[in-house]
Amino acid sequence: MDDDRNANPTLPSESNPVKAPLLSVLGDASLIDRTEFIRVIVQSLYSLGYHRAAAMLESESGISLESHEYTELLFSVLAGRWDDCIATIESIRDLESSAKNTAAFLVWKEHFLELLGLNDGFLMAKDVLWQRIARLDMDRQRVHGLARELISSEGIIEVKDRIRRRLALLLDLFEVLPPWVRVPSGRLERLVEMAVLRQIASCIYHNSPGEVTLYEDHECSQEQIPSKCSQILYDHKNEVWFVQFSNNGDYLASSSSDCTAIIWTVNMDYSLSLRRILEGHMKAISYLTWSPDDKMLLTCGNAEVLKLWDVCNGLCKFTITGGVNRIISSCAWFPDSQKIVCGSWDPDNRIFTCDLEGNILDVWEGERMPKVTDLSVTPDGQCIISICSSKEILVRDFHRGSEWVIHEEHSITSLSLSRDGQFIIVNLKNEEIHLWNLNATSSSPHKFRGHKEGEYVIRSCFGGSDSLFIASGSEDSQVRFLQL
């Protein structure tokens, strides 16, 4: 009997296994082009210094890092074969006519300038300008600029300068041509970084920068959000109305209806110990804020003045009134720690800025000035955001010289600004929290509910290392975390 395997050598055998066909796309969703995937890996290997591994991958896969078009352009440009350069550019698929014109202009411009550098190249340069460059669909100002070069030519271009110029031409061409012609440097690293950032952005509980690995999908557990009481501080004699960590995280400041503020030290084990008690206010302190450099602290309260404290020695540097018997209701720092802005409503409504000596710099007041109950300054110092007339958010943009108002239907009790200055959250009397995008003032806010706010002012804030959620207190003795 004949052996069918020998009669038909195309059938599989142990010595002649059939290889699975190579897939053109990869991944569960079939979104990754195999050739592109291998090319970015090869590019990354070369950039990391693993040249033999990269060359072996090119050889085994049959996929070269450099495209045929890249190789043709490289040799043509370095050799000064300008017609060949243009032919290669014309052969590139899916290249828009505007990009072809720009690439051709770069090539002929270099040829033109090199001819000008020759002792007898004037006439040839003139011919390239009118026969090649002028016929391209380009901005006429660029053509006229080259025409002026005919008159102001500086003479011979040295060989070493010519090589440098041609290498620069290659880089300029790759900015115009499609990315597949030459894989952009660091592309694989960029893709991985984007994937990590996307995972962090979608992580509800993310609050720990640096705790990310490539070995598995990133997901923080709910334990990232503190849920157990670790310490109780008893040094205030009455209700605590406001707390805020310093910008560097080394200290915590608290204010109370006992008319004092306390600075606490954050120890290595994250416990808190009393550092200084700040005494001097005659009425309850409802708000405080650290200077951006953490060297000073501002405190103010209900029907009270504003005081500036030296964090190092705990002394009050001075009391800011903004005028005789003026009550300051809110305050904020500018990013340089050298200027502050204050809001007041008694005896009249006013927003003013002053330096650290108490000298008033700018004032906004008048009959139309509404009552200001809260305010903040963006991290770049360009905008002051204030709560006015209880239902309006006023944004004053110094850089643009403009201002606009965001209207709410219910009274606003507090304002918080995101770390990047792009978003604000406001607490409303109807027990809602509204998130506004300052770059899209015409849009509607994102609304959140769940906390209880009736008798007291609840100040919600952005939470997490990248401000990815909102943390809010509540009159039912709960703290709620809301995902953005």
Side-chain angles (χ1 to χ4, degrees), residues 132-198:
R132 303 289 191 176
I133 298 175
R135 295 183 178 183
L136 297 173
D137 184 15
M138 296 295 297
D139 180 9
R140 306 317 295 172
Q141 293 296 327
R142 302 179 74 175
V143 179
H144 295 161
L146 292 180
R148 287 190 290 270
E149 292 284 346
L150 283 170
I151 302 173
S152 59
S153 174
E154 298 181 356
I156 297 175
I157 299 177
E158 299 291 340
V159 173
K160 61 180 180 180
D161 292 332
R162 186 182 302 163
I163 297 300
R164 178 182 56 81
R165 292 174 58 88
R166 291 179 181 180
L167 289 174
L169 169 61
L170 276 171
L171 295 178
D172 290 340
L173 285 174
F174 295 138
E175 289 292 325
V176 177
L177 301 178
W180 61 262
V181 174
R182 180 175 182 261
V183 179
S185 178
R187 183 57 185 164
L188 180 59
E189 291 87 338
R190 175 60 180 155
L191 288 170
V192 174
E193 187 177 56
M194 290 171 61
V196 171
L197 291 174
R198 181 62 181 269

Side-chain angles (χ1 to χ4, degrees), residues 320 338-342 352-356 358-361:
I320 303 174
Q338 299 300 311
K339 187 170 69 171
I340 61 176
V341 60
C342 304
F352 63 93
T353 62
C354 61
D355 60 22
L356 300 188
N359 301 310
I360 295 179
L361 305 175

Side-chain angles (χ1 to χ4, degrees), residues 247 289-298 311 333-334 337:
N247 298 284
T289 179
W290 292 86
S291 63
D293 61 9
D294 292 327
K295 294 181 179 180
M296 293 164 285
L297 193 69
L298 288 174
V311 172
W333 289 91
F334 279 81
S337 298

Side-chain angles (χ1 to χ4, degrees), residues 13 22 117 198 243 248 297 302 327 383 396 444 469 472 477:
S13 66
L22 294 176
R198 181 62 181 269
V243 293
N248 60 17
L297 193 69
N302 296 339
I327 294 175
C383 294
R396 189 184 301 272
S444 300
F469 57 82
S472 178
S477 302

